[in-house]
Amino acid sequence: MVKRTSFENDPCPVARALEVIGDWWSLLIVREAFFGVRRFNEFQGKLGLAKNILASRLRTLVEHGILRPVPAADGSAYHEYLLTPKGQGIFPILVALRQWSEQFDPRPEEIATVLVDRNNGRPVRTLELHAEDGRLLSPADTTLQPRSTAKSKKAGTRSSATSN
Amino acid sequence: MVKRTSFENDPCPVARALEVIGDWWSLLIVREAFFGVRRFNEFQGKLGLAKNILASRLRTLVEHGILRPVPAADGSAYHEYLLTPKGQGIFPILVALRQWSEQFDPRPEEIATVLVDRNNGRPVRTLELHAEDGRLLSPADTTLQPRSTAKSKKAGTRSSATSN
DNA sequence: CGCAATCAGTTTCATCATGCAACCAGAAAG
DNA sequence: CTTTCTGGTTGCATGATGAAACTGATTGCG
């Protein structure tokens, strides 16, 4: 790789997100955390990844404020990894990934689980993008605007490099 | 790497999605495609990635049915890469990533752009997960159920391994 | 038509990251 | 107090990534 290119200074929010959670394991670790997995060995057992990789990922997830090590839990001297609010904010991303697979996977019959409303056991709705006034928006109904730095509001039409 | 572990047979739809678009460049390529980028050099210029990597990524995106090479376009003998419906289905994932950055990035002032309604230039709403009946759902309001194989409807409480 | 520049890659080659396995210290259990 | 469990770290082997150089068509231009 000669240094995997870093996106942390990229002005694109998508790139910035990928910089943090865009690797092969981080999102799966977070997914497990959503299901109550908290301990090192538990993550390792569920995901089957190497311990050094897990240790490394947990470290960076903690550094990025996605997981938080809490001192104890059941009384033992070890610690557990809990989702922070920032970590919980990843939920829509997981849902979007899941729904994309559900819709387009070439072998959907191999998908084992469905995300349901705990209340009545019925599948959740597909995520939709809405306008401020509630209208449903398709990709084509949207554009990127340069971030309004306190002023300016219209602009549209993207310009240079990796600027979206 | 001694063979990066593959998720393509994992029953978890999140893992399956990551198998396809979970690397460092694919989602950014798709993002550019949403903005009308179509040609090899154009991708390369915007993203600044090595040509061999780009060639490799484009190939797998085409293999997975996310991009489609169309013979011509402006009359030249080259071809262009267009998003398929499956590729367009990635939009919510990009939006979810973008919104996560917007909400939790430690230096949000460095984010250059805002996704707006093309109609009136106002920011779009944040993605929300809703129940079938329209109620807003938080992560805690949801569970995973084993996929109903024609029959059965209640079950809850996840069981074994990487099964969500 | 002839030649230079462009497009779309492919081919080395060096370096980095990943994965496996082995090892290890501190805590808990017996 | 020896054993086991937890939560790692260390040391390779190998694959993935990236920079740069190279190639073979295609186009642009005089």
Side-chain angles (χ1 to χ4, degrees), chain A residues 1-2 5 39-41 51-52 55 59 78-79 81:
Chain A
M1 262 199 230
V2 182
T5 31
R39 301 281 284 251
F40 188 96
N41 273 355
K51 297 166 67 168
N52 52 349
R59 211 177 302 133
Y78 303 108
H79 67 274
Y81 297 95

Side-chain angles (χ1 to χ4, degrees), chain A residues 129-135 137, chain B residues 95 99 123-128:
Chain A
L129 185 63
H130 290 270
E132 203 177 47
D133 56 40
R135 291 180 355 268
L137 295 176
Chain B
V95 173
Q99 294 184 341
V124 303
R125 282 198 192 170
T126 300
L127 290 176
E128 295 173 338

Side-chain angles (χ1 to χ4, degrees), chain A residues 22-26 28 57, chain B residues 1 4-5 7 18-19 22-23:
Chain A
D23 72 278
W24 288 101
W25 289 111
S26 294
L28 296 179
R57 292 298 176 278
Chain B
M1 257 201 236
R4 194 199 60 250
T5 31
F7 303 132
L18 291 177
E19 173 69 25
D23 72 278

